[in-house]
Amino acid sequence: MQTRRIGTAHVSAIGLGGMPMSIEGRPDEARSVATIHAALDAGVTFIDTADAYHLHADEVGHNETLIAKALASHPAGGDVLVATKGGHLRPGDGSWTQDGRPEYVKQACEASLKRLGVEAIGLYQFHRPDPRVPFAESVGALAELLDEGKIRMAGISNADPAQIRQAGEILGGRLVSVQNQFSPAFRSSDPELALCDELGIAFLPWSPFGGITRAGDLGSRFAPFVEVAAEHGVSPHQVCLAWMLALSPVVVPIPGASRPQSIEDSAKAAELTLTGDQIARLSAA
């Protein structure tokens, strides 16, 4: 599989998003582990998770623990860059809340370190800005974690262009990634993608197919993706990921999966080459 750069790391051009394996509708553990192993077998070397990817209030970090277990039981597990996040919470009633206090972000990181079983987290990202806490204070916690050696690289998620620039300044040029929602149905992160391209920062699209409940509708909602898929004899989902890769060399999509077949199909997008005309048609969809 072709590789792309996140900070100092070279990772597979297609990553794996772990959220579907831990929230509502999640599969049993055996299928989740099989899904992660299938990703590794397909050449995936980048997995995205978060402490908030869980279902019940008493199982914070469910996805981190699951990923650590799956990686430990696969020969290629040690070659994977695991990105996790802190600052977002799930009380257990299906809602999402934020806690961007520096002390909480650092506490969350310590807990993630233990669950992942590592001395330093490869990539740690502030999950979502907290309107009650100055953004600079939250990102300042990342700077401290870097200085303390608790994390090797730092990123932010769900950020706007001003916050990306601010985080870069606070981290002294050590901001390596921005993880925002981006898909054919959600193009409002175009400015963030353009800025990351300009600055050479990895842009990690989450929900690249439009979300867990809408992923299956990608083809029916966006006809050009079906047309181009037919031209190549592949799935519209492969076309979607290949289109994202063609937009900029800083893009590393992280499609979620809960079945081995899903990530196996997604991984093939890294080798799918689209023509300029096809890219233009898809971008106009």
Side-chain angles (χ1 to χ4, degrees), residues 244-257:
M244 290 185 179
L245 292 174
L247 294 177
S248 167
V250 303
V251 174
V252 183
I254 45 173

Side-chain angles (χ1 to χ4, degrees), residues 78-91:
D79 301 327
V80 174
L81 173 64
V82 176
T84 192
K85 302 180 286 295
H88 218 357
L89 301 86
R90 297 199 86 200

Side-chain angles (χ1 to χ4, degrees), residues 17 66 75 101 126-127 188 198 208 256 276:
L66 173 67
R101 293 173 299 140
F126 178 47
H127 203 155
S188 63
E198 174 191 332

Side-chain angles (χ1 to χ4, degrees), residues 115-189:
R115 285 188 291 264
L116 291 171
V118 295
E119 294 183 0
I121 293 172
L123 173 59
Y124 193 70
Q125 303 176 104
F126 178 47
H127 203 155
R128 184 177 289 274
D130 183 346
R132 302 164 301 176
V133 180
F135 186 67
E137 293 184 12
S138 302
V139 176
L142 296 181
E144 293 179 16
L145 290 167
L146 282 168
D147 294 340
E148 294 167 4
K150 300 290 179 64
I151 64 176
R152 293 195 174 93
M153 296 185 290
I156 55 176
S157 185
N158 301 297
D160 62 31
Q163 290 167 330
I164 294 172
R165 292 189 183 278
Q166 184 181 17
E169 293 173 2
I170 293 168
L171 293 171
R174 296 181 290 177
L175 177 68
V176 305
S177 64
V178 173
Q179 182 174 327
N180 275 20
Q181 184 176 13
F182 185 79
S183 69
F186 193 93
R187 297 289 299 276
S188 63
S189 284

